[in-house]
Amino acid sequence: MTDRIHNFSAGPAVLPEPVLRKAQEAIWNVDGSGIGIMEHSHRGKVFDRIITEAEQTCRDLAGIPDNYRVLFLQGGASLQFSMVPMNLLPPQSTADYLLTGVWAQKAIKEAKLVGKVHVAGSSESTGFDRIPTQDEISYSTGPAYVHMTTNNTIYGTQWRTEPSIPSGAPLIADTSSDMYSRPIDVRKYGLIYAGAQKNLGPSGLVLVIIRDDIVEQGPKILPTMLQYRIHVAEKSLYNTAPTFAIYVMGEVFKWIKSRGGLAAMAELNESKARTLYDYLDASDFFRGTAQADSRSRMNVCFRAPTEDLEEKFIKEAAKRGLDGLKGHRLVGGMRASIYNACPPAAVEALVSFMKEFERANRAAAART
Ligand code: PMP
């Protein structure tokens, strides 16, 4: 018996149940130390082991090469929108951005406060319902870096693979909503950042993976907390780190490993997404909003025939223990976020409710 319901929230989102159980114990007494995880000094032996293990497991999962640093920072993914250009966009240079949604837009807004931005590719003209093709992308000459958003949480689109980019320019990726949901070839990137609250752990914490040659690029006049070099030199412990969040992230990494790693996650996520998209494709009541070749395996966005029916669907779903299905306020409709920790049973329960709802409301839809 469980008192938990199915959670399709876009983030903070569902976490693996074994991790939550272990965290419950760790809050009281971590590793038999007689002290809870939140009460340990971030400079003590117990936490030192926790952060070292978290980093090691993170490295093992993606085979992160030795010339990359792994950082556990604060300020969410949003602070990376600023830190990236502040550190990597020199005054006379241009940064190229791929504009695939609201989060990319926000990243661009922050970069423009720092320097010159060129939008190298965009799907804005079709309401961000797809990922631009390589033919549609046109880079500036010698960009300082290229920035992409691997998964667009609000629109439910996802890059299948990295775009080709000008040689010499580092690829910077916001992977907040699909980090470690599939294998990632870290060598293709200069810097990867991911807010934790979807696939990796508690909100506030952001995972940053940065290549050594990029670490020292930032001007030394930046505020200390905004310089990558400081966080690298201090191994994420320049100030008091969010110890509990790092603990949970480390446990999530271990959970992913125990479930077979990133390839196994990809297979599971692919299969959950297929269950939903197959049903959406077959339905003449619900319809998916993202173009088929750009569909996200993490956030499945869909509409019902009318807004009234959408409201009714979300309300009735919640009564059945299917929570968090309301689409982002900017786009409306419905969104099922089915991250790593979302069990296949949750997706099956959702599809079976959708079928039932479709049958019961087909007549109402036909009248409109
Ligand atoms: N990027 C993406 C792709 C996101 O989905 C989000 C949050 N939903 C953010 C950035 C912002 O993250 P945070 O709220 O942790 O700053």
Side-chain angles (χ1 to χ4, degrees), residues 10-11 75-81 103-104 106 149-154 174-178 193-198 203-206 299 328 335 339:
S78 297
L79 189 56
Q80 295 307 305
F81 295 164
W103 298 110
K106 293 196 174 181
T149 314
T150 50
N151 184 77
N152 299 284
T153 326
I154 294 176
D174 173 2
T175 63
S176 294
S177 49
D178 65 354
Y193 62 93
Q197 65 270 25
K198 295 150 202 308
S203 57
L205 179 60
V206 57
N299 311 98
H328 191 277
R335 168 175 58 178
Y339 303 119

